[in-house]
Amino acid sequence: MSNEEKDREDLPKCRVGGKDPSGSEARPRNWLVPVILLSLRDWNSYGYELMERSTRFGFDAMNPGTLYRTLRQMEKDGIVESSWETSRGGPARRMYSITDAGMTYLDFWAKSLEQYQRTMDTFFRMYTGQPLPSDENEENEKESGEGNSR
Amino acid sequence: MSNEEKDREDLPKCRVGGKDPSGSEARPRNWLVPVILLSLRDWNSYGYELMERSTRFGFDAMNPGTLYRTLRQMEKDGIVESSWETSRGGPARRMYSITDAGMTYLDFWAKSLEQYQRTMDTFFRMYTGQPLPSDENEENEKESGEGNSR
DNA sequence: GTATATAGGTGTAAACTGCACATAGATATG
DNA sequence: CATATCTATGTGCAGTTTACACCTATATAC
């Protein structure tokens, strides 16, 4: 048995977050939306192709149901547009393109993700043991002093 | 009217992701769990205090319901322990401490978040217009070539 | 004719979260 | 004493998101 497998078996089976934070847990809700918008900003595309492309953005095994449903919802919201492409062998494709509102929405997502990245940086600074740089020590240690330190 | 306010009104009211990705949207599900575990790793604490501390990790206005419920669930999962602290003026506090399983779980979350950070880096590299460095151009442009470029 | 790859989709249950609301001890104030 | 406030912990419910299973249809290969 490899070490990684052993680690996994020691991991508590937590109901919070399903089982473990790997895979789907450690990414924001609707992460699929900015990923799709970003893909469509460069090239128009369709569901089946977007499924493969999103694999590069943390979706190890994208499930079709969620993707197609998200695309239809995004069209209702006006951030993407679609039209059938039938001039081709094989099943018809619903080709999607991003709208102006979609571009605006993508920019907004980018700003939010930047903010979240900074928050995660704070998390990792604290995780690796360094004190918070923005924390000016306004008596916090004393207030929380009833706990033992490890 | 300020520019920021104007931007906000131009934003499409998207059903995907509630309204907009600001605030709660741009962070993973159960983000509260690693935040609590990290806080408890340094000092034992209780719900009311943890509520204030989590404000520093992207929760602008933490709602008590979610926090207390999460803490109870985490205890059921065995990643934290609690005991009543009554030797004090004021209402009793349920003091929490992290368990060994909780430490393991925190490490696991950290690994997942690191992974996700790398994914977000990929997102931002693509967003700002640079090509993916891991992308060795295996005919991808031609395969996706039916879309127009912007 | 039947298997396979491509392409798009629905139904449902579980999980997560925000919001409103409920409870209760201690202390301060008129 | 009445009651207001701060501290502290919770429950109920409804809305959103998502994973999983399942279904349909077209074209091509064998």
Side-chain angles (χ1 to χ4, degrees):
Chain A
M1 185 190 293
S2 78
N3 273 343
E4 286 78 11
E5 277 163 351
K6 188 166 175 305
D7 280 354
R8 231 164 209 290
E9 287 188 11
D10 288 346
L11 200 70
K13 303 290 176 300
C14 293
R15 286 277 130 242
V16 257
K19 314 142 272 288
D20 62 65
S22 66
S24 63
E25 303 310 327
R27 55 180 189 237
R29 302 174 212 71
N30 302 300
W31 172 232
L32 196 50
V33 173
V35 164
I36 290 171
L37 288 177
L38 186 56
S39 290
L40 292 180
R41 195 190 58 171
D42 292 335
W43 305 285
N44 293 346
S45 188
Y46 55 97
Y48 198 83
E49 190 186 45
L50 287 165
M51 221 161 71
E52 294 165 15
R53 303 192 119 260
S54 23
T55 310
R56 306 179 187 189
F57 291 98
F59 298 98
D60 26 287
M62 191 61 215
N63 63 320
T66 305
L67 178 71
Y68 288 118
R69 191 143 34 202
T70 301
L71 281 167
R72 303 306 294 274
Q73 188 58 53
M74 286 169 74
E75 185 163 24
K76 272 187 200 151
D77 294 339
I79 57 179
V80 297
E81 284 171 344
S82 78
S83 59
W84 285 104
E85 190 194 72
T86 49
S87 60
R88 223 195 81 267
R93 293 171 174 173
R94 191 188 279 273
M95 287 296 292
Y96 284 93
S97 56
I98 191 169
T99 65
D100 287 344
M103 294 286 281
T104 307
Y105 198 58
L106 174 59
D107 291 341
F108 207 80
W109 257 100
K111 275 181 212 153
S112 298
L113 289 173
E114 254 178 275
Q115 165 80 43
Y116 175 55
Q117 258 191 337
R118 280 193 293 272
T119 304
M120 277 217 300
D121 285 343
T122 306
F123 176 89
F124 275 112
R125 267 195 306 275
M126 196 165 154
Y127 179 70
T128 53
Q130 286 138 38
L132 299 172
S134 58
D135 191 354
E136 294 300 324
N137 284 16
E138 340 96 323
E139 306 295 317
N140 286 326
E141 281 82 358
K142 290 193 188 68
E143 274 182 34
S144 315
E146 49 263 272
N148 55 2
S149 75
R150 292 166 175 271
Chain B
M1 185 188 289
S2 76
N3 273 343
E4 286 77 11
E5 278 163 350
K6 189 167 174 304
D7 280 353
R8 231 165 209 290
E9 288 189 11
D10 289 345
L11 200 70
K13 304 290 177 301
C14 293
R15 286 277 129 244
V16 256
K19 314 144 272 293
D20 62 64
S22 66
S24 63
E25 302 310 324
R27 53 178 191 238
R29 301 173 215 70
N30 302 302
W31 172 233
L32 196 52
V33 173
V35 165
I36 290 171
L37 288 177
L38 186 55
S39 289
L40 292 180
R41 194 190 58 171
D42 292 334
W43 305 286
N44 294 346
S45 188
Y46 55 98
Y48 198 83
E49 190 186 44
L50 287 167
M51 222 160 69
E52 295 165 15
R53 303 193 120 259
S54 19
T55 308
R56 305 176 189 189
F57 290 99
F59 299 97
D60 24 287
M62 191 60 217
N63 65 322
T66 306
L67 178 71
Y68 287 117
R69 193 150 27 204
T70 302
L71 281 167
R72 302 307 293 275
Q73 187 57 54
M74 286 170 73
E75 184 164 25
K76 272 187 200 154
D77 292 338
I79 57 179
V80 297
E81 285 171 344
S82 78
S83 59
W84 286 104
E85 189 195 72
T86 48
S87 59
R88 221 193 85 265
R93 294 170 174 173
R94 190 187 280 274
M95 288 296 292
Y96 284 93
S97 56
I98 192 169
T99 64
D100 287 342
M103 294 287 279
T104 306
Y105 198 58
L106 174 59
D107 291 340
F108 206 80
W109 257 99
K111 274 180 214 155
S112 298
L113 288 173
E114 251 179 279
Q115 165 83 41
Y116 175 56
Q117 258 190 336
R118 280 192 295 271
T119 304
M120 278 219 297
D121 286 343
T122 306
F123 177 89
F124 275 111
R125 267 196 306 274
M126 194 164 156
Y127 178 70
T128 52
Q130 287 138 36
L132 300 172
S134 58
D135 192 352
E136 294 299 324
N137 286 16
E138 343 95 322
E139 305 296 313
N140 285 327
E141 282 83 357
K142 291 197 188 66
E143 274 181 31
S144 316
E146 50 263 272
N148 55 3
S149 77
R150 294 166 170 267

